[in-house]
Amino acid sequence: MPSKPGSCYPMGIPGIVLSLLLALAVAHRAAAAAGGAYDFTLQLPSQMPAWAQKLSPHLAGFSLEMDRWPDWAGQEVGKPNEYFNQLLRNLGDRTGHMPFLRIGANSEDRATIDLQFQVMNKTFPAPTEAVPNPEADHIYIGRDFYALSGNLPEGTSFMWGLNLKSLNETETVSQARLLAEAFQGDRANLTKHVHLVHVELGNEPDFYGLTRLGYNGPYGPEWTVLNYTNTWVLFAKAVSKEIEFGPSCSGKPTLVPGALTGFNAPEWTPEGPLLYGLLDDSEIRAKTSKFSEHAYSGGFDPRRIVRPGELMDKLSVRANMSTRTSGRLSVRASGLSYFLGETNSYANHGQPGLSNTVESALWATDWLLLGASNGIERLHFHHGVGFRYNTIQPTDESDDGLNITRPHILPSYHAFLIVNEAIGKSGDSYIAELPTSNLTLTAYGVWEKKQLRRIVILNTQVYLGSGVKPSIQVNLAGPGATTPATVKKLLSNATTSYTGLTWAGQSFETASGIPEGAASSEEVRGASFNLPASSIALLTFGAEQ
């Protein structure tokens, strides 16, 4: 996503309202921390709520900037990036499904086919203070580019993006033809163990023309929602002659419109294209299964004064999620599934000191589970080599502020581990947020067969490393409170730590990606357990699966 002036705060929230919310939260956190440990009673529900949402095993997804695709997949066909694949397997082991990858973003609209290259070529602008890790200004797609998908672990699902922004139908069709060759044609033997599930046409089309943010695309006022809708349908029909699409139940890929930023609401929202006939053509409607939007908590600003706790602030997270309500409802009412095809903490690659610390793990866990509780099927966290909001850095040249000279994880990777364990392997789990009267304690219930099976609890108290670490003594009450239970915890040194995290007693900060140490959990005694500041607990009732 391009840098957007004035985007340092959650989208759609009036500044004065946000200031009041943040002031309330800061005051509450200060009061909580001052007392050290204190008791909190978490009331368990008597039954699964009617509004609980079904959890997708693909909830925690990846979005990868296309310009460095070989750094993630491996530089050649048949030579995968084993470190990245191991980290994906860690996640897949927890749900029984490999993570879902979206490949595209800004660079999908800067791509052209050039078959003189074996894999790809790319050119980059010079880094600046505002954009220290710039995306390529042009990429050239070579013969093996899409075939590298076969380097990923068995069962990996893909959404591939094609260039719409150039408005060059011949180019887009050429990309579709090469993509089809890799998954459905002469080279399908290379990708037979992975799945092309979606094809996305264009990235953030609401930034192709004029915007209200001082960032304007190449087209003028003629680029409207209606123009986009008609163009998307035209290109969807063209690529359908190259790629065999079908309904989602057919096992064939489907088309995905949208990829809207939300910065140009109210006209550039899902309601616009849906009203202007996006699904009026019966053949295109049958091949379209989902609609995507993008969402960030704000934008990177090198002048920002970092305040630990502001990213994971409970009120701000919920206010930001509420800006996607109308779009989500309109998409689902139209018979499509809704997902965030690109999301993360702060747009323009993350805010150092927030996006790459322990705080990001708490924020990401809350953001994922809150999204799921609101009926969002998947949230694809955006990544690029060196981006500070990554969960994973795939190479040894990643300047993300951690000063690690090998491929490595960042704290937010642990959010994916926790969320996937909370989802489980049943394929029939449901989620709802459990109400709490505490601004630093958040809880989500997960039900299987209508029985409360797991609870994720977050303590977002801030601890900067000096003095006694505050904590919350969580006391369970209500139906099932005394049921035998175990708890796993995400622990760290401080809210602002970059490394040193453990999940269930294991460290995932290894050179191989294989966790170090044995996984461990604690027995919950007397329906009560302690949760330190900036920690997460996964409570499991009955025997662990």
Side-chain angles (χ1 to χ4, degrees), residues 61 90 136 221 224 258 391 393 400:
N90 293 343
T224 62
T391 66
Q393 296 291 3
D400 55 19

Side-chain angles (χ1 to χ4, degrees), residues 68 71 75 122 124 132-133 384-387 393-401 404-408:
R68 301 292 292 267
D71 289 330
Q75 299 297 323
K122 65 263 187 187
F124 288 89
N133 293 289
V385 173
F387 294 3
Q393 296 291 3
T395 73
D396 57 7
E397 56 184 70
S398 302
D399 182 16
D400 55 19
I404 299 175
T405 57
R406 59 167 172 79
H408 58 274

Side-chain angles (χ1 to χ4, degrees), residues 31 33 47 51 60 148 155 181 185 221 240 260 268 281 294 335 345 364 389 422 435 480-481 499 502:
Q47 59 186 354
W51 56 88
L148 288 182
E181 180 184 280
S240 294
L260 306 177
W268 283 96
D281 185 285
H294 297 174
S345 54
Y389 55 35
T499 58
T502 59

Side-chain angles (χ1 to χ4, degrees), residues 380-394:
H380 290 260
F381 277 53
H382 195 48
H383 292 68
V385 173
F387 294 3
R388 291 142 299 188
Y389 55 35
N390 280 11
T391 66
I392 296 167
Q393 296 291 3

Side-chain angles (χ1 to χ4, degrees), residues 2-9 127-133 298-307 310 346-355 388:
S3 177
K4 302 170 179 65
S7 64
C8 295
Y9 297 101
T128 65
E129 182 186 22
V131 188
N133 293 289
F300 164 64
D301 186 341
R303 302 160 297 176
R304 177 192 292 272
I305 298 173
V306 171
R307 296 179 177 87
E310 64 179 314
Y346 293 94
N348 207 23
H349 312 162
Q351 184 72 42
L354 293 171
S355 301
R388 291 142 299 188

Side-chain angles (χ1 to χ4, degrees), residues 260 262 265-274 290-294 321-340 374-376:
L260 306 177
E267 65 273 32
W268 283 96
T269 59
E271 294 96 313
L274 292 170
K290 293 174 170 56
F291 195 108
S292 78
E293 284 194 280
H294 297 174
M321 183 63 72
S322 71
T323 65
R324 295 296 178 269
T325 301
S326 63
R328 170 175 51 82
L329 292 176
S330 65
V331 167
R332 296 182 71 179
S334 300
L336 303 180
S337 298
Y338 177 93
F339 70 103
L340 294 180
N374 279 273
I376 299 177

Side-chain angles (χ1 to χ4, degrees), residues 2 40 179 202 232 325 345-346 367-368 387 411 421 499:
F40 181 83
L179 179 63
W232 187 90
T325 301
S345 54
Y346 293 94
W367 186 243
L368 282 162
F387 294 3
E421 281 197 40
T499 58

